[in-house]
């Protein structure tokens, strides 16, 4: 059982990731995707990760898509943050993937949040929580207790944009630049005032989304 004292700081996480090239840090968790030689070998990788989870009593979120397996580790009992248990589990999962001939494709693991502009988050957050069947997250955001739907967070501002709801798409900084270039090529308006943490994208009809790096809306611990 982990506690608040077990939460790793961002520099400590970055140090760990320096020797875990398969993984990225994303919104309180470690994430990756593995491409397996076959669909059957993807199931074998899932079984191997399951055995690791049972041995360590630390269970990831898993998503199987034909020959790809998406994995996310976080310590829910430490407030959905990264602890040494996640580093240890990710290390063993990487070894299992290597033994099974899987190739890491962490850039495929995109994390999406819904952001809502509001002058008073408390006034509206309960409506969204109840309607979605979510729970309150780490910093007043709302999260799916089963890790399937996108998080919802409330951007407190006295001057909400007329387009109050936008999507935040999170990637690592290295993987964000190709996405930014491709998005710019569509003719979208790109506001880079806050780059590289996030870039505001506006389509021709005024709808917005933010392309964020891992550090986009993450406070320092």
């Amino acid at each position: 059982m982990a506690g608040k004292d077990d939460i790793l700081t961002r520099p400590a996480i970055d140090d760990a990731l320096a020797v875990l090239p398969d993984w990225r840090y994303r919104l309180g968790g470690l994430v990756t995707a593995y491409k397996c030689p076959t669909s059957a070998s993807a199931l074998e990788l899932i079984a191997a990760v399951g055995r690791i989870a049972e041995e360590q009593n630390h269970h990831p979120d898993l998503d199987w898509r034909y020959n790809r397996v998406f994995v996310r580790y976080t310590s829910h009992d430490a407030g959905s943050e990264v602890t040494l248990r996640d580093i240890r589990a990710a290390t063993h999962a990487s070894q299992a993937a290597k033994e099974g001939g899987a190739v890491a494709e962490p850039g495929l693991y995109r994390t999406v949040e819904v952001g809502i502009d509001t002058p008073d988050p408390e006034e509206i957050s309960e409506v969204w929580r109840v309607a979605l069947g979510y729970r309150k997250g780490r910093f007043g955001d709302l999260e799916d207790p089963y890790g399937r739907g996108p998080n919802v967070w409330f951007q407190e501002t006295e001057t909400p944009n007329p387009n109050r709801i936008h999507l935040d798409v999170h990637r690592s900084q290295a993987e964000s630049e190709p996405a930014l270039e491709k998005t710019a090529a569509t003719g979208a308006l790109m506001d880079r005032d806050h780059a590289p943490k996030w870039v505001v994208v506006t389509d021709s009809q005024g709808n917005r989304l933010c392309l964020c790096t891992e550090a986009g809306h993450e406070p320092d611990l």
Side-chain angles (χ1 to χ4, degrees):
M1 179 106 178
K4 293 291 184 181
D5 292 341
D6 299 306
I7 297 172
L8 297 181
T9 64
R10 183 57 191 272
I13 294 171
D14 289 340
D15 288 345
L17 290 178
V19 293
L20 285 173
D22 292 2
W23 297 82
R24 302 289 185 267
Y25 174 73
R26 194 73 48 74
L27 297 175
L30 301 181
V31 304
T32 194
Y34 285 108
K35 181 180 180 181
C36 302
T38 64
S39 179
S41 62
L43 283 173
E44 292 171 1
L45 176 57
I46 291 172
V49 171
R51 287 191 292 272
I52 293 167
E54 288 299 300
E55 291 167 1
Q56 299 183 356
N57 192 28
H58 190 52
H59 301 79
D61 295 328
L62 287 170
D63 191 5
W64 172 38
R65 292 291 184 270
Y66 185 58
N67 66 337
R68 285 182 170 85
V69 179
F70 295 78
V71 191
R72 180 177 187 268
Y73 282 106
T74 188
S75 294
H76 296 291
D77 52 3
S80 296
E81 298 286 358
V82 174
T83 67
L84 284 174
R85 289 190 304 166
D86 301 301
I87 302 297
R88 183 168 58 249
T91 301
H92 283 82
S94 290
Q95 183 60 36
K98 182 179 180 180
E99 292 172 357
V103 176
E105 296 180 324
L108 293 183
Y109 202 117
R110 292 178 294 277
T111 305
V112 178
E113 292 184 296
V114 178
I116 301 176
D117 281 0
T118 173
D120 186 357
E122 290 300 319
E123 182 180 356
I124 63 173
S125 64
E126 188 66 1
V127 174
W128 287 84
R129 187 191 69 78
V130 173
L132 290 168
Y134 277 19
R135 65 187 176 197
K136 280 211 170 183
R138 301 176 300 151
F139 307 111
D141 55 336
L142 305 179
E143 58 185 29
D144 184 344
Y146 302 104
R148 292 181 54 79
N151 283 16
V152 177
W153 73 285
F154 302 93
Q155 180 167 270
E156 187 169 356
T157 172
E158 294 301 322
T159 57
N161 189 277
N163 177 45
R164 289 196 177 201
I165 295 178
H166 66 275
L167 297 183
D168 293 331
V169 183
H170 295 263
R171 296 178 173 87
S172 71
Q173 187 168 332
E175 291 148 355
S176 287
E177 195 54 44
L180 287 170
E181 292 177 3
K182 291 178 181 178
T183 305
T186 67
L189 178 64
M190 311 288 284
D191 179 351
R192 297 176 180 263
D193 285 353
H194 299 283
K197 288 189 174 182
W198 69 85
V199 174
V200 180
V201 180
T202 306
D203 67 20
S204 61
Q205 296 181 6
N207 304 300
R208 292 181 173 179
L209 60 88
C210 289
L211 298 182
C212 309
T213 69
E214 294 167 337
H217 295 292
E218 286 291 303
D220 293 327
L221 293 171

